Amino acid sequence: SLSPRLPFSPSAFAVVFGVVGLLLLGAAAAQVVGQVAGFFGGGSALLVALLCAQAAWLRRRAGHPIRGSGGWPVSRLGVRNATHRPGRSVLCITLIAFAVFIIVAVDSFRKDDRAAALDRQSGSGGYALLAESMLPVVHDPNGEEGREALTRGTSAGEARELEGVRFERFRVRPGDDASCLNLYQPRNPKIVAPTDEFLGAGRFAFQSSLAESKEEKENPWLLLRREFADGAVPVIADANSLSYVLHLKLGEDFVLEREGAPVRLRVVGALADSIFQSELLMAEANFKRLFPEQEGARMFLLDVPTAEKAEAVAGTLEERLADFGFDVTRTSERLANFHRVENTFLSTFQTLGGLGLALGTLGLAAVLLRNVLERRRELALLRAVGYGKSHFALMVVAENALLLFCGLLTGTACALLAVAPVVASRGGQLPFASLGALLLAVVASGLIASLLATVAALRSPLLASLRAE
């Protein structure tokens, strides 16, 4: 039967959305628009364009008659059966494509904790260890006096373990946890103050900042030295904590209540996925002026020569500085704790996408079964002229495979385009194993559905259908 005419041309829609998608991808590549918005919008537009193109292809008039013998002509006949009800076929492809698009796109944002811990622009800043103490450490562990106090009473082996280790000190004002591990919006966030040497090192990657000068753009940490006419104090926060916990934007103020007059903290920079998700960072000069009662350093980042040496250094410091309540952890473990919460939310969205994919696969089986039941007379006639059970199975499997692979390939290709900036920022790494296993499971379930449809077709009363024909 002929399918109803649509009030629009799928081919025209395919061209329009295809052009829009390519323009968005080009604008994002040229940095005319934001890369995330441009690539995701371009990938979504191309997804719609490909679905429209497939709708136009399924609605085309049949070509030349199928001739020949063997499995290939029978498979072509099964593929042509997908055009029997093109609306149903397009619906199945669309459900599978959108579900795969969501699953692949969401999975690409999953954080990988195996990133190199010594990369100066990573979330750890190249520091292998992070240490916190209950009591403040007044001496500089990098200076001669501080290093002598640190190694006093240690064995020669323990002293060698600390050779080449550099300490970055942070003054700390205790407060509420500002990371995703806190279920409530902090009113009194924890504030830490690095040294001027740390600010000049230019470690960690920034997602965004208020940098204007060339020096600030090259090293946004220098923004902490800014002075605002209205008396606001510049601070830097992690981008995730800023958006989802503090609910602030770049350039906005956070009013910190304290004894005396409240302090307005102005966000001048946002770090990209860093170990500083629990606190706000402030210049040491401003910290001393606002919180003079907080003396010494209570937080340290340790620059270790090699990752293999980190475990030994951690054990030595915890033993030698036990009187200060020294607690040393790997920066990779701290990041993993933050990522675990984010990945849980991503898994939730991915589960919803998997549910959509399961519904799409079940819908595909229902469409195949209905198509087979509607074509019982045709199948009965084919059976009468010599087609066997294997031919029917091959036709149904070919029709199912066409719809299944069209949906999988369309959704996967467009999702990879949409998340290209994210993949590039991770060094081109994608969880191919998990995605491949998921897609193979979908293919297997789809093929099983086609076999069930074949069994239903063979059990239907073909003789009665042939008599009606």
Side-chain angles (χ1 to χ4, degrees):
S1 61
L2 296 177
S3 59
R5 293 183 60 85
L6 296 176
F8 58 87
S9 171
S11 300
F13 270 70
V15 172
V16 171
F17 279 100
V19 171
V20 171
L22 293 176
L23 288 177
L24 285 174
L25 292 175
Q31 297 184 349
V32 177
V33 298
Q35 282 196 331
V36 175
F39 276 88
F40 203 86
S44 302
L46 289 179
L47 176 64
V48 177
L50 288 176
L51 292 174
C52 290
Q54 291 165 5
W57 178 72
L58 289 172
R59 290 178 178 275
R60 78 195 192 286
R61 291 183 178 274
H64 299 290
I66 298 175
R67 297 185 175 90
S69 60
W72 175 242
V74 176
S75 301
R76 291 180 58 193
L77 182 59
V79 169
R80 185 169 293 183
N81 286 338
T83 64
H84 175 67
R85 294 289 188 183
R88 297 177 188 171
S89 299
V90 173
L91 178 60
C92 291
I93 295 175
T94 302
L95 287 174
I96 294 174
F98 271 98
V100 171
F101 183 89
I102 293 174
I103 290 174
V104 176
V106 168
D107 204 70
S108 66
F109 289 94
R110 193 178 297 275
K111 302 295 176 62
D112 185 8
D113 299 323
R114 295 172 299 178
L118 300 183
D119 184 2
R120 296 169 65 95
Q121 296 303 312
S122 67
S124 65
Y127 298 100
L129 300 173
L130 182 146
E132 294 179 292
S133 63
M134 297 295 295
L135 299 178
V137 178
V138 180
H139 298 293
D140 180 7
N142 299 313
E144 182 177 350
E145 182 180 358
R147 186 56 63 99
E148 182 181 352
L150 186 66
T151 58
R152 185 181 298 119
T154 61
S155 63
E158 291 176 331
R160 282 195 300 270
E161 293 293 349
L162 298 179
E163 291 181 358
V165 178
R166 177 172 177 79
F167 293 75
E168 291 293 348
R169 297 166 294 138
F170 294 81
R171 294 176 181 265
V172 178
R173 177 188 180 272
D176 300 332
D177 188 350
S179 73
C180 56
L181 301 178
N182 186 2
L183 297 178
Y184 304 97
Q185 183 177 2
R187 300 296 181 184
N188 183 32
K190 179 181 177 182
I191 299 176
V192 301
T195 61
D196 290 338
E197 291 80 6
F198 176 85
L199 300 184
R203 297 200 185 195
F204 294 91
F206 279 78
Q207 181 172 304
S208 57
S209 71
L210 299 181
E212 297 177 355
S213 65
K214 179 181 178 181
E215 291 78 11
E216 290 176 342
K217 291 180 180 179
E218 292 178 352
N219 183 12
W221 286 108
L222 301 180
L223 291 167
L224 291 181
R225 299 174 181 172
R226 268 193 186 182
E227 295 182 0
F228 294 102
D230 58 359
V233 178
V235 293
I236 289 175
D238 184 86
N240 292 333
S241 299
L242 193 64
S243 299
Y244 304 115
V245 182
L246 296 172
H247 303 291
L248 294 174
K249 297 180 181 178
L250 203 64
E252 293 184 345
D253 292 349
F254 180 90
V255 179
L256 179 67
E257 300 293 341
R258 67 185 186 108
E259 295 183 3
V263 180
R264 286 192 297 116
L265 307 178
R266 182 161 300 163
V267 182
V268 296
L271 294 167
D273 187 34
S274 71
I275 57 176
F276 294 114
Q277 295 188 31
S278 299
E279 50 270 322
L280 301 178
L281 293 107
M282 178 186 297
E284 189 174 29
N286 291 328
F287 187 93
K288 290 180 179 179
R289 176 173 57 86
L290 295 173
F291 315 110
E293 69 280 3
Q294 302 294 339
E295 297 182 355
R298 293 176 55 187
M299 178 176 170
F300 304 86
L301 287 177
L302 279 63
D303 199 352
V304 182
T306 60
E308 294 76 13
K309 194 176 181 180
E311 195 68 32
V313 171
T316 301
L317 290 176
E318 288 184 341
E319 181 180 352
R320 303 309 308 172
L321 298 178
D323 293 341
F324 289 89
F326 230 61
D327 182 28
V328 185
T329 59
R330 286 183 175 269
T331 54
S332 58
E333 294 179 5
R334 184 180 176 94
L335 272 176
N337 290 332
F338 296 141
H339 292 166
R340 193 172 294 114
V341 177
E342 298 177 41
N343 290 338
T344 300
F345 284 104
L346 292 176
S347 297
T348 302
F349 288 108
Q350 199 171 27
T351 301
L352 295 176
L355 178 60
L357 192 56
L359 292 176
T361 305
L362 292 176
L364 178 58
V367 167
L368 288 174
L369 181 59
R370 183 164 182 176
N371 287 344
V372 166
L373 294 177
E374 287 181 351
R375 299 201 304 270
R376 282 180 297 180
R377 297 180 180 180
E378 174 188 339
L379 296 177
L381 181 59
L382 292 175
R383 184 71 178 272
V385 297
Y387 282 81
K389 296 181 180 181
S390 60
H391 297 109
F392 290 152
L394 186 57
M395 282 190 291
V396 176
V397 169
E399 179 182 359
N400 187 22
L402 172 68
L403 303 181
L404 193 61
F405 283 104
C406 282
L408 290 175
L409 294 177
T410 301
T412 302
C414 294
L416 292 178
L417 283 176
V419 300
V422 179
V423 176
S425 65
R426 290 170 46 174
Q429 296 179 356
L430 268 178
F432 292 107
S434 60
L435 288 178
L438 177 63
L439 298 181
L440 286 176
V442 174
V443 172
S445 60
L447 295 179
I448 292 174
S450 64
L451 294 177
L452 294 177
T454 304
V455 172
L458 296 177
R459 288 185 176 181
S460 61
L462 297 181
L463 183 58
S465 300
L466 183 59
R467 287 172 179 171
E469 185 70 15

